[in-house]
Amino acid sequence: MPEIPAVSRRLVLGGTLATGALAVGIGSAAGASAAPATAPASVLGQAATPRRRAGQKSMINVPFEPHATVRVGVIGLGNRGSGMTTGWSVIPGCVVAAVCDIRADRAKRTADQLVAAGNPRPAEFGGSDGSYAEMLKRDDIDLVYIATPWEFHYEQGRAALLSGKHVVVELPIATELDQLWDLVDTSERTRKNLMLSENCSYGRNELAMLKMAHEGLFGDVTNGHGGYLHDLRSLLFSDTYYTDSWRRLWHTRSTASFYPMHGLAPIAAAMDINRGDRLTTLAATATEPKGLADYRERFLPKSHPSWKETYINGDLVTCQIETAKGRTIRAEHAVSSPRPYSRINSLVGSRGIFEDYAGTSPTGARIYVEPDHGGDTWRDFDAYRKEFDHWLWKELGDEAENGGHGGMDYVLQWRTVQLMRAGLVPDIDVYDSAAWCAPVPLSVKSLADKGRPVDIPDFTRGSWVNLRTGLDSRTTEMPPVA
């Protein structure tokens, strides 16, 4: 059965959001096609929404079919893929059934590691750029996890859907607007779920912030700020970390916000984007591209192949996003400048503010909310995180600490397997995935027109007006393993 959101303080204190959601009716989300509210028109014109094909239906509130065991096939076994493969193998009721990489030796090495850890040996595929297609022919795979370079995500994700499998794709699910629409349509036609592997949405602070927002602690939420601010210079110039330097080469191809999702997604979830509000317009700005060339000048020998490259992507790309309800989100991407790591993760409302990566408490966050606080003095987030800790972290905290990225990877993988085994609706659906990734191509369009705003498509085709559950899920059990 689909999960039903528990009644929370946001329905009492949430102001505009609660009023709008109740007006359309909580129970009307499944398969709804209500007319969207009028969104602000952008300078570059209203983006057309393609019609659904005959027989094509929404995937909103469509649950996974229950699985006794979730059998995962992995495509891409570089740094991210190999680590996540280990993660899938330790989740109760999950088994890695097949592994694939264009380099066959990686598939063998990963299979050997799984066997050494006491797991059954997965089928191995590799040796060519078409090896993944051979893997997709198997009928013993329920979920395909894709961790290849960005340029392959769309093709491989679409092929996985067409093969009758559910899909989890690393960021972004696609890099072009027509590709995002095609993945939405392909998911709707195949009736298979596609989910962005947005691990930061499962961060402990992010989920606590989400709960506080939905409980009305911040009053009416008006704006948020998120980003991916990570000094990747040494890794971008590494000869081994990113295979064939694929990630650095993106900085020679396009001026874009390549990777805003880690900061955008948690803010969008707290604002109920696609669940009572939606992203409407985006305007992008970019600084000059100085960081990578400067780093190369100081640290790379003239014989290094990077000296043949010209970097064009700005060191800081900022997307200013507006929503249908008049909220604003600032999403930033910066990976080529010296700085400590931050996802910013800030949320502001009529009754208070939360800021991550700013406090001195063990949580790394600070808060100021009325009527609890006064005197223009920040307070530590510790007590609030304990009070609003998401059930997933209460359930998995000790186990999650052994997972990657501070436990976010483990929580994402555990929850995905639980959703599939219990036959529940995904927390992150194909519409969320498309909306969160849309700033990649839309930032290109805005920057090419000197930062003028562009329209963000409504991938839900009008159903965004209906309040429904998402990452703010109810407590549910992982089905017992037979």
Side-chain angles (χ1 to χ4, degrees):
M1 293 287 293
E3 293 179 285
I4 301 173
V7 175
S8 67
R9 285 173 56 203
R10 70 167 162 161
L11 297 182
V12 179
L13 301 176
T16 304
L17 171 59
T19 303
L22 290 173
V24 298
I26 294 175
S28 61
S33 58
T38 302
S42 78
V43 176
L44 295 184
Q46 181 65 36
T49 300
R51 291 181 178 274
R52 287 188 172 104
R53 295 184 186 179
Q56 185 176 320
K57 297 184 296 183
S58 172
M59 286 294 287
I60 286 178
N61 281 346
V62 174
F64 292 101
E65 64 278 17
H67 296 76
T69 300
V70 176
R71 301 166 297 179
V72 177
V74 178
I75 303 174
L77 298 167
N79 289 288
R80 181 62 175 163
S82 60
M84 289 291 279
T85 299
T86 299
W88 292 116
S89 73
V90 300
I91 304 298
C94 183
V95 62
V96 178
V99 292
C100 177
D101 194 280
I102 192 171
R103 289 163 171 78
D105 61 308
R106 287 182 175 176
K108 182 180 184 306
R109 182 179 68 242
T110 301
D112 289 343
Q113 291 170 346
L114 289 171
V115 171
N119 299 289
R121 190 173 194 89
E124 300 168 35
F125 296 85
S128 75
D129 57 6
S131 296
Y132 77 92
E134 292 301 313
M135 188 191 84
L136 294 178
K137 294 177 182 178
R138 297 180 67 92
D139 59 6
D140 61 348
I141 297 173
D142 307 303
L143 176 69
V144 175
Y145 167 72
I146 298 170
T148 52
W150 301 335
E151 53 263 42
F152 304 120
H153 288 183
Y154 161 68
E155 176 186 336
Q156 293 168 347
R158 183 176 187 273
L161 289 172
L162 291 172
S163 73
K165 298 162 178 60
H166 300 290
V167 191
V168 172
V169 189
E170 281 297 332
L171 291 63
I173 62 170
T175 60
E176 302 291 342
L177 202 57
D178 61 343
Q179 295 174 349
L180 293 172
W181 270 117
D182 192 39
L183 288 176
V184 168
D185 290 342
T186 303
S187 174
E188 291 185 346
R189 289 196 298 271
T190 61
R191 314 309 294 161
K192 295 298 179 181
N193 284 305
L194 182 145
M195 169 183 165
L196 179 70
S197 184
E198 182 37 77
N199 58 345
C200 296
S201 292
Y202 288 95
R204 196 164 203 161
N205 282 5
E206 284 87 346
L207 285 175
M209 177 188 73
L210 170 79
K211 284 195 64 180
M212 288 189 292
H214 287 181
E215 291 291 330
L217 199 72
F218 304 115
D220 286 322
V221 173
T222 59
N223 68 95
H225 184 190
Y228 184 68
L229 312 180
H230 190 183
D231 183 1
L232 292 179
R233 293 172 300 165
S234 62
L235 296 179
L236 290 172
F237 284 103
S238 168
D239 292 330
T240 57
Y241 193 82
Y242 293 115
T243 303
D244 298 329
S245 303
W246 68 265
R247 190 162 182 169
R248 187 179 75 238
L249 291 177
W250 272 93
H251 289 261
T252 71
R253 297 171 182 157
S254 181
T255 303
S257 181
F258 292 138
Y259 207 73
M261 294 74 76
H262 280 337
L264 171 61
I267 301 301
M271 290 184 178
D272 274 327
I273 297 302
N274 291 339
R275 292 162 173 78
D277 198 357
R278 81 170 186 92
L279 309 179
T280 55
T281 61
L282 176 150
T285 59
T287 66
E288 290 294 312
K290 301 293 186 181
L292 294 184
D294 178 74
Y295 186 93
R296 179 180 62 187
E297 177 70 33
R298 290 186 290 151
F299 299 111
L300 276 296
K302 298 293 184 180
S303 59
H304 195 269
S306 65
W307 280 95
K308 298 178 182 178
E309 301 165 358
T310 299
Y311 306 113
I312 63 174
N313 198 45
D315 290 344
L316 172 66
V317 180
T318 301
C319 295
Q320 188 71 21
I321 299 170
E322 296 186 0
T323 80
K325 289 186 176 291
R327 301 182 177 104
T328 63
I329 303 172
R330 189 166 80 252
E332 297 185 357
H333 176 267
V335 299
S336 53
S337 302
R339 59 160 303 118
Y341 180 89
S342 173
R343 296 194 299 275
I344 305 171
N345 198 30
S346 176
L347 196 69
V348 183
S350 58
R351 300 183 188 177
I353 179 173
F354 166 82
E355 284 191 354
D356 211 344
Y357 298 93
T360 58
S361 75
T363 65
R366 60 188 185 181
I367 191 170
Y368 185 90
V369 293
E370 296 174 340
D372 297 6
H373 305 145
D376 293 328
T377 303
W378 289 100
R379 302 304 200 277
D380 284 346
F381 183 52
D382 302 53
Y384 287 88
R385 193 171 81 172
K386 289 177 182 176
E387 180 181 355
F388 293 96
D389 207 13
H390 195 280
W391 73 267
L392 281 167
W393 278 95
K394 291 179 180 178
E395 175 84 13
L396 303 173
D398 293 339
E399 300 171 54
E401 294 301 330
N402 297 320
H405 293 95
M408 297 185 300
D409 292 344
Y410 184 88
V411 176
L412 178 148
Q413 292 178 296
W414 188 96
R415 177 61 170 166
T416 302
V417 172
Q418 184 215 21
L419 290 167
M420 292 186 66
R421 295 189 64 225
L424 300 176
V425 174
D427 297 339
I428 299 170
D429 61 26
V430 69
Y431 309 103
D432 302 319
S433 304
W436 298 346
C437 295
V440 179
L442 293 177
S443 62
V444 176
K445 186 176 180 181
S446 177
L447 289 168
D449 203 48
K450 300 181 180 180
R452 294 171 70 192
V454 297
D455 284 298
I456 300 173
D458 172 19
F459 294 101
T460 73
R461 293 178 168 101
S463 293
W464 63 269
V465 297
N466 299 305
L467 184 65
R468 57 192 173 91
T469 193
L471 287 154
D472 54 344
S473 56
R474 294 178 62 185
T475 303
T476 48
E477 298 294 328
M478 174 72 85
V481 177

